[in-house]
Amino acid sequence: MKSAVMYQWCRQLSVSGRKCLTLAEMGCLSAVRRKHTKARYQADPQAKERKIKSHSAAKESSVSILRDPGVVLVEKLTKEKLCEVLMQSVVYMKGPLVVINKPQGLSVTGKQEEVSVSLLLAELRQCLGVRDDLHVVKAAPKESSGLVLLSSCHVTTKRIEEFYSECRKLLRPIATYCAVTVGVPSPAEGEIEVALKSERIGEQDMVVPVMNPSKGSLERREVKKTHTQYKVLDHTEGCALVQMQPKTTFQNQLLVHTTLKFCTVLGDHTYSARVGKVLGEDIYLPVDVALPRTQLLEEPILRRMHFTQQQMHRMPLHLHLHQLQLPSEHGEGKPVFISAPPPLFFQRTLQLLGLKLEEPTERI
């Protein structure tokens, strides 16, 4: 009310102290304006274009990954459409080897009624013009996006598998993943070593850490020692872009390992409940209590991603098999490194959170 009165008072004061213009003077002033004044877009032809671009950039910066660029929902695609997606995702093709960059959510083997990479191999072979049958050598798991190595030659496959077996014995990583994590691992570079086992909790089979495994459980292979190298590539408030190189293989190894650093992979709705806070301090919750649930994010991160907690069940897993190592063609010399970019939704998330992904190094 006060501001309205002040505005009216100032307006009256301005009018009373101003010289009144005659009609003739007003006509002259109008003519001067018409003669010497140009519209902004006429004086600066690029102004209109800049305004449009600025509006477009502002609109883009306020759009979540669900709308732009969107997430590929594998379960809603037909077999033909999925084959088309895989055809467009070929990143390497030489001799008997074919490498594709699969979308997140696509199973490699899958159940009988489930569409999978294996089920599409015959169509893929025909579309690519490969003479012999294709088979899977190495692949990102269903929940992750990333590289799938295919081969049409069993001799070549055996040579690659022997190379991978030797790398595992020497604890040399052959795969490089990148992940967006909620929380920043500390220290920024290191190794996670813990024994894991699969255990029935409630109605689900879950992977749990075993802090002091017995010799017998290791010998019976009920428990397996696992190793992962990691390095924080970039970080911002509350989030990080992390490079991970598993030296061993175990179901959900990377998801469980990140929880042990009081971090969770963005979009992990299975193990994220194990990490919590009490009075601002990170805590690790008991695995039999922390059952799978939709991941919870703090409000600042949700705002930056233009998400609501009610939408979080649609958040895809931000874990991508970024690079694979292959033996040299003739068994001598340096290994070959094949890489593939993360999916568009992953790249958009990096943009929204202010994280930057560079090409991975050959080894951490």
Side-chain angles (χ1 to χ4, degrees), residues 202-263:
E203 298 180 355
Q204 298 193 43
D205 291 323
M206 304 284 289
V207 176
V208 299
V210 182
M211 295 305 152
N212 297 298
S214 66
K215 185 178 178 181
S217 64
L218 292 169
E219 289 176 347
R220 292 190 298 271
R221 297 185 179 181
E222 297 168 354
V223 179
K224 181 178 180 178
K225 290 183 178 180
T226 59
H227 305 255
T228 299
Q229 275 183 197
Y230 74 90
K231 180 178 181 180
V232 177
L233 300 178
D234 196 8
H235 66 90
T236 184
E237 189 178 352
C239 297
L241 175 63
V242 182
Q243 177 175 295
M244 292 187 284
Q245 292 180 314
K247 295 181 176 181
T248 55
T249 57
F250 199 87
Q251 180 186 2
N252 295 331
Q253 175 177 317
L254 298 181
L255 298 181
V256 176
H257 279 188
T258 54
T259 65
L260 298 174
K261 303 301 291 184
F262 299 110
C263 298

Side-chain angles (χ1 to χ4, degrees), residues 13 34 45 93 98 101 105 129 140 151 190 195 208 212 252 254-255 274 312 321 355 364:
L13 183 64
R34 285 197 300 270
M93 191 171 176
V98 177
N101 187 11
S151 172
V208 299
N212 297 298
N252 295 331
L254 298 181
L255 298 181
R274 294 182 181 180
M312 274 301 295
L321 177 49
L355 299 169
I364 289 179

Side-chain angles (χ1 to χ4, degrees), residues 256-294:
V256 176
H257 279 188
T258 54
T259 65
L260 298 174
K261 303 301 291 184
F262 299 110
C263 298
T264 59
V265 177
L266 181 61
D268 176 12
H269 306 300
T270 304
Y271 297 99
S272 61
R274 294 182 181 180
V275 179
K277 281 185 183 290
V278 173
L279 300 176
E281 295 294 323
D282 293 320
I283 62 167
Y284 191 82
L285 297 171
V287 295
D288 56 340
V289 174
L291 299 177
R293 69 175 185 199
T294 300

Side-chain angles (χ1 to χ4, degrees), residues 28 51 71 205 251:
C28 291
K51 185 176 181 181
V71 180
D205 291 323
Q251 180 186 2

Side-chain angles (χ1 to χ4, degrees), residues 129-142:
V130 178
R131 186 175 59 183
D132 299 312
D133 291 339
L134 289 166
H135 54 268
V136 178
V137 182
K138 181 77 175 174
K142 174 183 177 179

Side-chain angles (χ1 to χ4, degrees), residues 35-66:
K35 181 177 180 181
H36 297 287
T37 305
K38 291 183 177 181
R40 186 181 174 192
Y41 69 87
Q42 291 175 322
D44 182 1
Q46 294 182 343
K48 189 175 182 181
E49 185 179 348
R50 281 201 302 269
K51 185 176 181 181
I52 292 172
K53 285 184 178 179
S54 175
H55 178 71
S56 176
K59 185 178 179 181
E60 181 184 345
S61 66
S62 63
V63 176
S64 79
I65 61 172
L66 296 180

Side-chain angles (χ1 to χ4, degrees), residues 68-129:
D68 183 13
V71 180
V72 175
L73 299 176
V74 171
E75 64 276 10
K76 292 189 176 181
L77 297 181
T78 62
K79 190 176 176 182
E80 292 73 22
K81 184 61 179 178
L82 264 176
C83 192
E84 184 181 325
V85 168
L86 295 183
M87 276 290 297
Q88 295 171 352
S89 303
V90 174
V91 295
Y92 180 88
M93 191 171 176
K94 186 176 181 181
L97 298 180
V98 177
V99 183
I100 60 176
N101 187 11
K102 86 168 184 72
Q104 182 264 342
L106 179 61
S107 173
V108 177
T109 52
K111 301 174 183 177
Q112 190 171 3
E113 67 279 4
E114 187 179 26
V115 178
S116 62
V117 174
S118 297
L119 195 65
L120 297 170
L121 287 180
E123 287 85 349
L124 199 59
R125 169 202 165 195
Q126 187 175 5
C127 293
L128 292 172

Side-chain angles (χ1 to χ4, degrees), residues 284-305:
Y284 191 82
L285 297 171
V287 295
D288 56 340
V289 174
L291 299 177
R293 69 175 185 199
T294 300
Q295 187 178 34
L296 299 175
L297 291 188
E298 294 182 355
E299 191 60 33
I301 300 175
L302 287 170
R303 281 200 304 268
R304 279 148 63 192
M305 294 202 66

